[in-house]
Amino acid sequence: MITRFCVFIALIILTLILNVGPAHSTSISLNKNAYSNIVVAISPNVPNTWSETILQNIQLMIRRASSVLYRATKKRAYFKDVRILVPESWSNVRSNLSTWETYSEADVRVAPPASAHGNKPYTIQSGGCGQPGEYIHFTPDYLRTLADPNTAVFGPPEKVFVHEWSHLRYGVFDEYGHQNDKKYPLFYKPPNSEEIQPNLCTNKPPIFTTMDVVTQGPCRIDPTTGVYDNNCVYNLQPKFLPDSSLMSNYSIDSVVDFCEDDQDLAHVFTAPNKHNAMCGSYSVWTVITRHPDFAMNNNPPSDILFLEPTFQIVRSTGSRFVLVADTSGSMNDYNRIVRLYESSRRWIKYDISDGSQLGMVQFATKAKIISSMVEIKGDASREALIARLPVNAVGGTCIGCGLQKALELLRPGGPGGVILLLTDGEETDRPFIYEVLSEVVRSGARVVSIAFGRSAEDKIEELADKTNGKSYFIDDNDSSQGLNDAFVGSLTYQPAVSTDQIVVLLFKRQYQNVTGGIINENFSVDSTVGRNFVFRIDYTQKNYLRSFSLKSPSGTVYTQLVYDDVVKVAMLKLSEAEVGKWDFTLTVSSSTVDALAVHVTSQTRSTTTAPITTECYVPAGNTLNNTNASPVRILAKVMQDANPVVRAKVKAHIEMPSGPSQILELFDNGASADTVADDGIYSRYFVGATSGGRYTVECEVWDDGSAYVNDGTFVRNRKKRSATPKMTGSFTRMASGGSFKIAQSVPVDADIYPPSRITDLFVVEVQTNPGHTATIQFTAPGEDLDSGTAASYEIRYSPVFDDLRGTNFGSANNSTLVQQEHVVNGSLQPMVSGTRQTITFVMTMKNEETRTYYIALRAIDRSGQVALPSNIVSAQFPLDEPASGLSTKAIIGIIVGSLLGVLLIAAIAYLIHKKKYLSYEAADTRSKT
């Protein structure tokens, strides 16, 4: 089975490793070699003190970067159109009003630093090889001091931008190592060489010096690794003038190209860097040319004389929304029209912010505008809009009509806007969605689609995808809670707010058919939140809620709620809530049809301390057509400002098209679906998405005593700057991830997924006495990607790197297979997915001259499906230990000691002889005087 599968791997291995696909919503387009609609957004937390300098330097950096990119892509791409979104508070800057640009969807963000990075630019990458990143992060201090020597250490700004752009757009990774990093070390030994080299991808041999940062003297070799120890650093010399790579040593002036497969810019595929580990040692240029921007001869090389981009500076304004509501006859079913009214009213009255504009359209057989665009200014404008909400349902379904009316409302304000489309049925009247789709896309409006019931039109998720919007699904058997979440989710596209205005969801739960009629729950208010605390209950009938009590950590009990029975909401508000565990008790009636939901929200306790926040999302988008090729990944981002919260507990709750919901624990371990360990992004493949239909995702986050904020004072796996991490203390968070749709069901008995590819393999240590042993460590994959437990491992080693690459891996002629009898510690039996697994095994040396051996492995599932081979690591063995049992070091010590002893004796004899001679000379001198 394995041999036959190798033939299959030969055809698809590159495609599988280069997992090209969407990773975040972006409006960037590439047409005729020109990138347009790039959005650089400045956080409202950045003061306008240096606004002029920051804006000038952004433009200077990208203007120069355009020609760098054009040269590096061999005349295939340059930057043409850039939008710079400034905060509303930057009133001193001349700008136009923004239309579709938002901070949350920006490609480049300017924000205060993440402490672990300082002012160094970086890109958030949550996907695998070939998958675009989420955004590039620049700090205001970096941008205002581009000419400063302290900033120059990061390299020429235009090259820094192209380096980060390559992470963001093309999904490639760094081609250099790090100090104190076992997976991506600073030094390594190339194949068939005993010479230690910096871990770089460069087309010329590095010319460098080394220094021990502790002793300031020569570096020492670590006998475990065979290369310099963790105190050693290198310094590239001025005469070192390579041409590549921009993903490696891009700070050198001569570097203008990416590493590729030809001889002139040869990719160093044996270097143990992140790009080789993530992309199977394929070159950066290979990955880039497989990107949709350039694949299939898209955007071929073109001679372009003018490469300077144009810049538009726009300022954040209130968002523009159009509610497009289905009022066809089927909306009477399951009380949908009433639920629509209640949720719309709640959203308008409590959620949408002042300064936003809202228009409304209803559609059935035809569509009509029921409210023109109205700016929301206090309660009177909200009540006027609520009075126009539709309450009756009759007729057919013309979704295209409703979309056209929405565009009619948005058009006078320019491109952009958000359309909230709610519908429950299939289209019956023209124009259909496909007939107006291109018009909606051209308008720049985003569509947030809300599907009522399982018969809702299939095309609405595609509409959301095409416009970089979101999708939500509302089950007819649920309460209005899902609909409320969908409305709130649309507010993602409101202008960014400063840290002290962020509203954090601490707790959310829905209750129905409560056994015994009593609900007892608790949640935590942590030290980062507590101001403007709101405990809210959404209910279907007021008399369903019989009693309520909320107990603070100090014992204060609250029993009074303020009711708004028109929108069916009851609330308790506190200006500030105590830190600690809060307990609440609800008593409900015995009704089996009524329900209620509890929401607890708050804002940051102090204006100088950012709250812990959570985002939940499915990066593949709203519609997945082929889950075989692109499995569903669910992600949750847990941050305090720009600093990641690590070692939290994160679970995704998934409502299925049919049957019970599923719970999936997400991990931030840098393995399988998770790209980077400890970056605050928790990930997992959802292999249960096999049935066609709509799925709804929600993420829950809490601390079990281990969570801490990586604020730069404590770094796992690398050098520790402090002995104690900044613990979060007890906290809870919730976040909606919206919905996604699976286009086709998979046969129930089909084994779709092999185990995940292992990308975090590294050598812990090697020993030569007794025997040659290597200890390796990695994160165990699962039976299906990162779920379950694989059936077996296939571990191989060879003195030749290429023997373990791609389809060569399974060849018994070229490499040695590790059997269970070779294992001296651990086991070849896989552990459950996500577990750190350590295996020590004896290696057979093919000849005494070979000191470097390469190791890789892959997992196999119970049906014989084989994972792609892991990243390849090297084991560096010192000289063989002699049979006497004395180590090489001991023998050398004896020899050196003996020689020193002989030299010492000779020196003493010489001095005695010299002393006698001088005495005779002195005596003779004295005798002559």
Side-chain angles (χ1 to χ4, degrees), residues 227-240:
V227 299
Y228 296 127
D229 65 18
N230 288 330
N231 293 329
C232 188
V233 296
Y234 65 83
N235 181 39
L236 297 173
Q237 296 300 288
K239 59 183 177 180
F240 175 53

Side-chain angles (χ1 to χ4, degrees), residues 8 193 356 412 549 617 635 709 822 824 896 924:
F8 179 61
S193 173
S356 300
S549 69
Y617 53 108
L635 278 67
V709 179
H822 303 144
V824 296
V896 172
D924 185 64

Side-chain angles (χ1 to χ4, degrees), residues 48-59 90 92-93:
N48 65 0
T49 311
W50 295 93
S51 57
E52 184 177 351
T53 302
I54 288 173
L55 291 172
Q56 287 176 350
N57 285 345
I58 288 172
Q59 294 176 62
W90 282 26
N92 61 319
V93 174

Side-chain angles (χ1 to χ4, degrees), residues 133-144:
E134 297 191 15
Y135 62 88
I136 300 170
H137 184 281
F138 288 104
T139 68
D141 282 345
Y142 173 85
L143 289 170
R144 72 176 181 84

